[in-house]
Amino acid sequence: MPHPKTLLLFNYDWDEQGAKRLQSNWPSVVSGFDLFTFPSNARLVWFDTERFVAKAAVLAKLTGAKAVSSNHEQFGALCAALLAEKMGWPGTPVKAILACQHKLYAREVLEQVAPEANLPFSRLDAAYGGPVPNNIEYPQFVKPVKAAFSVLSRQVRSEQELHAHTRFGPWELWVIKHLVEPFERVAKKRLPEAGTAHSLMLEAPMRGRQYNLDGYVWRGQVRKLGVVDEVMYPNTDAFMRFEYPSKLNNDVQDRAHDIARRFLEAVGFNHGLFNMEFFHDESSDKITVIEFNPRMASQFSDLYLRVDGIDLHEIAFALAHNVDPATLGKAAPTAGAAASFVYRSFEQHAAVGFPSFMQRNSFWKTFPDALLFEYPKDTKELQRDFKWLRSYRYGIMHLGGENARHLRMRCEQASAILSWPTPYFEDAREMTMDTIPDSAELFPRAQVSSST
């Protein structure tokens, strides 16, 4: 018997696939627009969170939707919380969403409840495009208080680098302000103690390997789903692949879970999916929190499904309808290890070849279980990527294997068919770039190819 309909907000890419996979048992309707596709993104000009929520409430009544869910970082998670509150539906408290997404306020809370997992931080006392203070000790990591584009996140080693990084053209400033302002208007009303989100902040650089803790909260109980290893291209902060299950020691995973529990309880996060990104430094055994995201890490849902038979998108539906996710069934695992492989170029003028019709046919014949995402760009888009990121992400592939060794063998074979370099560069000597950022939120929606 199908459940009542769920209204999904800003539902694209992995979320769109997850909803289609579960449509027969968890029917849904969609509202929202694509931030990265014209003319859809023209709606950013007049976007207002509260007005959008009011219209979504009308749509829910017209379509018979009885719940709401979103894994969209920029607008969706907050809009879903506001709509759930308005309709009396299960949802994450609005103030908890704001507390997680306001990165400076989140640091302040973390300092109170888990100072051992925090680092030195401060607001950058400078307006967008304004002069930077001259009393800062370097290096520093600079990022937005409310992430509009994670391209604004990077390490700077001098006042000159910080000054250059904070110079924005008129169009860039317009986009930044319009992406942050909907959050700012709500935060002023519901979390005024956090201060403005129209700002950058500074953090001490972190060290160690990067991980992602996934979990959810049910009736105030914080439950861990797992940890995904986030592997970078050498000497960069550009994601190369995401691996599951994690190689991180179970004791460290349990400590990370406890840190998440303390933080989420402190901000009143008592219902919903979350993920916590963090570093672990093996030499000091220190865990350092990068940030909390009050939503599912959608890109990893497929990895959990392959290895554990757990569908994170079904968990999202269950939570939206006040169903305990622990009561959900599991699918039969299809792999002992799985990964999301990220293909990228670090040469701005190098030609990136996309697979031909024959290559795609060979790929799907050999790897019917794969997911393949292609990201072709025009010249202006490439210029933007290299200006902001110094790299170009042109593809993502998901695969499973019997174990990590078998998974790598399959990746090497699949990459050869696609004529793409295999994303295992840990020992590559040619990777000598300075640290650069990456974010799934930056890039336009993928042109998706899959076997389904």
Side-chain angles (χ1 to χ4, degrees), residues 279-304:
F279 280 100
H280 177 248
D281 184 357
E282 293 182 1
S283 62
S284 64
D285 198 32
K286 177 179 172 60
I287 292 173
T288 306
V289 171
I290 301 171
E291 63 184 16
F292 289 89
N293 296 305
R295 54 171 177 79
M296 178 206 309
S298 302
Q299 187 170 350
F300 305 152
S301 179
D302 176 63
L303 308 186
Y304 284 95

Side-chain angles (χ1 to χ4, degrees), residues 265-383:
E265 288 178 354
V267 300
F269 193 112
N270 58 17
H271 186 92
L273 280 151
F274 72 91
N275 66 87
M276 180 185 85
E277 293 184 87
F278 65 97
F279 280 100
H280 177 248
D281 184 357
E282 293 182 1
S283 62
S284 64
D285 198 32
K286 177 179 172 60
I287 292 173
T288 306
V289 171
I290 301 171
E291 63 184 16
F292 289 89
N293 296 305
R295 54 171 177 79
M296 178 206 309
S298 302
Q299 187 170 350
F300 305 152
S301 179
D302 176 63
L303 308 186
Y304 284 95
L305 185 59
R306 291 173 187 265
V307 176
D308 294 335
I310 297 172
D311 194 326
L312 269 60
H313 281 93
E314 186 170 23
I315 290 176
F317 278 115
L319 288 167
H321 289 270
N322 211 31
V323 174
D324 184 353
T327 65
L328 299 174
K330 294 184 180 181
T334 60
S340 177
F341 298 99
V342 184
Y343 296 86
R344 63 175 69 245
S345 171
F346 293 91
E347 297 293 333
Q348 181 171 358
H349 301 294
V352 172
F354 287 91
S356 65
F357 177 80
M358 295 296 293
Q359 285 175 307
R360 288 190 181 92
N361 280 351
S362 177
F363 177 83
W364 293 124
K365 184 177 179 180
T366 310
F367 301 100
D369 61 310
L371 292 177
L372 181 64
F373 300 76
E374 298 176 37
Y375 300 84
K377 300 286 182 74
D378 61 28
T379 301
K380 289 184 178 180
E381 290 172 326
L382 286 173
Q383 290 175 347

Side-chain angles (χ1 to χ4, degrees), residues 14-247:
W14 289 281
D15 294 316
E16 186 176 36
Q17 287 194 343
K20 287 180 179 178
R21 183 174 62 245
L22 297 166
Q23 184 70 26
S24 61
N25 197 36
W26 298 93
S28 59
V29 292
V30 177
S31 180
F33 59 94
D34 186 351
L35 282 173
F36 299 105
T37 301
F38 183 82
S40 175
N41 55 8
R43 293 175 61 179
L44 184 62
V45 175
W46 60 83
F47 181 77
D48 177 85
T49 303
E50 293 178 328
R51 184 166 60 244
F52 175 85
V53 169
K55 292 182 177 179
V58 174
L59 177 63
K61 292 178 181 178
L62 292 175
T63 59
K66 301 296 182 182
V68 63
S69 181
S70 181
N71 300 306
H72 185 262
E73 176 68 20
Q74 191 58 42
F75 297 143
L78 180 56
C79 288
L82 287 164
L83 181 59
E85 179 183 82
K86 180 181 181 69
M87 305 297 285
W89 294 340
T92 306
V94 173
K95 191 172 182 178
I97 297 286
L98 295 168
C100 292
Q101 292 188 335
H102 193 293
K103 305 307 180 185
L104 182 62
Y105 182 78
R107 284 279 176 214
E108 294 170 350
V109 174
L110 188 66
E111 186 64 24
Q112 296 174 14
V113 300
E116 77 279 8
N118 211 0
L119 43 66
F121 64 96
S122 65
R123 188 185 292 274
L124 177 61
D125 187 18
Y128 288 136
V132 299
N134 57 14
N135 59 346
I136 298 173
E137 294 186 7
Y138 296 92
Q140 290 283 341
F141 194 83
V142 59
K143 70 180 186 182
V145 166
K146 170 64 175 76
F149 286 135
S150 289
V151 324
L152 297 180
S153 302
R154 65 163 292 182
Q155 183 171 295
V156 292
R157 298 175 178 83
S158 67
E159 182 176 339
Q160 291 74 24
E161 282 193 16
L162 179 58
H163 176 84
H165 181 62
T166 54
R167 301 307 99 184
F168 308 116
W171 171 245
E172 291 173 308
L173 283 173
W174 186 92
V175 171
I176 292 168
K177 290 179 179 179
H178 279 74
L179 286 170
V180 175
E181 185 58 27
F183 175 90
E184 176 84 345
R185 285 195 288 267
V186 179
K188 279 185 177 180
K189 297 178 182 178
R190 307 293 290 269
L191 193 69
E193 61 268 33
T196 182
H198 282 298
S199 175
L200 297 171
M201 60 183 289
L202 300 173
E203 296 177 343
M206 307 182 200
R207 58 180 297 174
R209 297 181 182 274
Q210 189 166 324
Y211 302 91
N212 184 87
L213 170 72
D214 297 292
Y216 66 92
V217 184
W218 169 256
R219 295 185 178 176
Q221 182 184 18
V222 181
R223 299 174 179 175
K224 185 183 80 171
L225 290 166
V227 171
V228 173
D229 295 350
E230 301 182 330
V231 185
M232 308 297 178
Y233 279 88
N235 303 316
T236 79
D237 281 342
F239 294 120
M240 180 166 62
R241 63 182 185 272
F242 303 94
E243 299 177 329
Y244 186 76
S246 175
K247 300 180 181 68

